[in-house]
Amino acid sequence: MVMIRRTFIAACTTAAVAMAAGSAVAAPKEVKLGYALAINSHYGAAAKAWSESVEKGTNGAFAVKQFPSSALGGERELIEGLQLGTVEAAIVSTGALSNFVGDVGIVDIPFLFRDTAHARAVLDGKFGQDLLGKFKQRGLVALAWGEQGFRHLTNNKVAVKSVADLKGLKIRVTENPVHITAFRTLGASPTPMSWPEVISALQQGTIDGQENPISVLTSSKLWEVQKHLTLTAHVYAPVVLIVSPTFWGGLNDAQKAAFTEGAKAGAVASRAFVDDVETKGVALAKSHGMQVVEKVDAAAFRTALEPAYKQYAKKFGQPALDAIANVK
Ligand code: PAF
């Protein structure tokens, strides 16, 4: 009897030692986090905050490996990677996302948000949170809304001061039906193109311009390939911090909470980065020789966009547009 007890205790001790040794040496699980821009961008700031928060919140059970500068492909490929489970996490703009989650296109409507505070209030409120919930049906787990800022226009041909100046300009737009409709309605020639192709297309002159927020202009040094900047502020550009459903399904509740909290920290970091870069980015662009048109007549742009607004109302429904407008 004593013998049996001793054997049992010895076996338990060995198992406990082995388990302890196993957990001490267990390597952190690698999480691939992809995004389109450089590490010194608002995406890099979000990725850093997200990674650090996850690593801390899971006691080092996960190690986030960043793949900046489209290293895992353009945004479309990144989103497909999330759906397939070959990429665990990504930070992507709504530019490409509305091809996957149609309803998200509503936030890409020009002059929809009054200002940054309005956009943040909508996205952080019921409307934005419900929209994040819709990603599940499309094989994506969306955790938080981050930010790029308001999109502005750059080009190499003309100082754009009015809608008329856009006529015939070949503007690269995201692969996003709402953006394409807007620029076509304004009289430009919108050319949908994946971001990794844009800089060489601008260098080669196959397109005249592009539109992106100041955060993208500075982190991608667009002054090296663009002469004119017009502060059109035509569309607010959010980003979404997303994980793959395959990866998500393998997490326990505490780990899910750590990834969600981390994504929220990433979103806050992207907004802080944008707040900062918007105070100095235009001066930086000027110091690199860009010619800047500081203001356009937004009301004139909105009037020219009337036919597009009719299409958007049909597509997304007037009640949804009113719900956004009514957020204080
Ligand atoms: O223009 C785009 O495609 C996006 O804004 C960018 C630059 C890839 C950032 O997500």
Side-chain angles (χ1 to χ4, degrees):
M1 187 63 187
V2 173
M3 194 59 184
I4 292 172
R5 240 180 59 208
R6 274 204 197 123
T7 313
F8 177 71
I9 291 166
C12 289
T13 312
T14 312
V17 169
M19 270 170 68
S23 65
V25 293
K29 223 171 163 182
E30 186 178 290
V31 175
K32 290 190 285 300
L33 167 58
Y35 51 94
L37 299 167
I39 206 145
N40 67 343
S41 65
H42 49 305
Y43 282 18
K48 182 170 185 288
W50 193 5
S51 311
E52 287 175 357
S53 175
V54 161
E55 287 168 9
K56 194 163 166 233
T58 61
N59 293 321
F62 294 89
V64 181
K65 186 164 179 201
Q66 295 186 34
F67 291 85
S69 304
S70 309
L72 299 178
E75 293 199 318
R76 183 183 277 274
E77 287 80 39
L78 262 184
I79 300 165
E80 285 166 355
L82 289 167
Q83 288 180 320
L84 292 169
T86 54
V87 177
E88 285 80 32
I91 302 171
V92 278
S93 74
T94 53
L97 269 171
S98 62
N99 292 307
F100 295 82
V101 187
D103 287 350
V104 91
I106 194 168
V107 302
D108 295 312
I109 294 177
F111 303 105
L112 177 76
F113 297 110
R114 294 185 294 275
D115 50 26
T116 302
H118 180 213
R120 291 178 182 176
V122 170
L123 297 175
D124 294 344
K126 182 171 165 22
F127 190 93
Q129 298 310 300
D130 287 352
L131 208 45
L132 287 184
K134 294 188 178 171
F135 283 61
K136 276 239 168 74
Q137 289 133 250
R138 314 303 306 178
L140 298 163
V141 181
L143 299 180
W145 290 105
E147 182 171 90
Q148 303 212 73
F150 277 88
R151 300 179 86 95
H152 304 290
L153 184 75
T154 67
N155 84 97
N156 275 331
K157 282 234 159 117
V158 58
V160 173
K161 294 183 179 139
S162 67
V163 175
D165 296 327
L166 285 171
K167 195 159 175 50
L169 267 192
K170 259 192 131 186
I171 306 293
R172 175 269 175 178
V173 291
T174 64
E175 298 159 281
N176 175 315
V178 172
H179 288 176
I180 296 167
T181 299
F183 277 91
R184 188 170 296 134
T185 307
L186 289 170
S189 172
T191 310
M193 189 181 281
S194 173
W195 178 250
E197 297 162 37
V198 173
I199 302 293
S200 61
L202 289 170
Q203 271 163 342
Q204 288 157 15
T206 48
I207 47 174
D208 302 318
Q210 64 84 55
E211 45 80 61
N212 253 303
I214 298 297
S215 56
V216 177
L217 181 121
T218 56
S219 58
S220 303
K221 301 190 176 129
L222 284 177
W223 46 75
E224 291 179 353
V225 286
Q226 292 280 260
K227 197 161 145 200
H228 300 285
L229 164 64
T230 302
L231 299 176
T232 44
H234 52 278
V235 176
Y236 172 81
V239 293
V240 190
L241 290 83
I242 311 179
V243 295
S244 142
T246 317
F247 173 68
W248 189 248
L251 301 181
N252 64 33
D253 286 350
Q255 291 166 341
K256 283 181 182 166
F259 273 88
T260 306
E261 282 317 301
K264 287 181 184 158
V268 168
S270 71
R271 289 176 179 180
F273 189 104
V274 169
D275 284 342
D276 181 58
V277 80
E278 295 216 336
T279 63
K280 38 195 183 212
V282 175
L284 192 63
K286 282 183 189 164
S287 76
H288 285 281
M290 281 192 106
Q291 308 290 308
V292 182
V293 175
E294 307 266 353
K295 208 165 165 47
V296 292
D297 180 354
F301 273 72
R302 275 198 291 268
T303 304
L305 283 164
E306 274 309 329
Y309 287 132
K310 288 205 176 88
Q311 292 182 42
Y312 300 144
K314 220 160 141 193
K315 187 166 175 172
F316 300 108
Q318 196 56 45
L321 296 171
D322 292 343
I324 292 177
N326 290 336
V327 173
K328 297 287 166 243

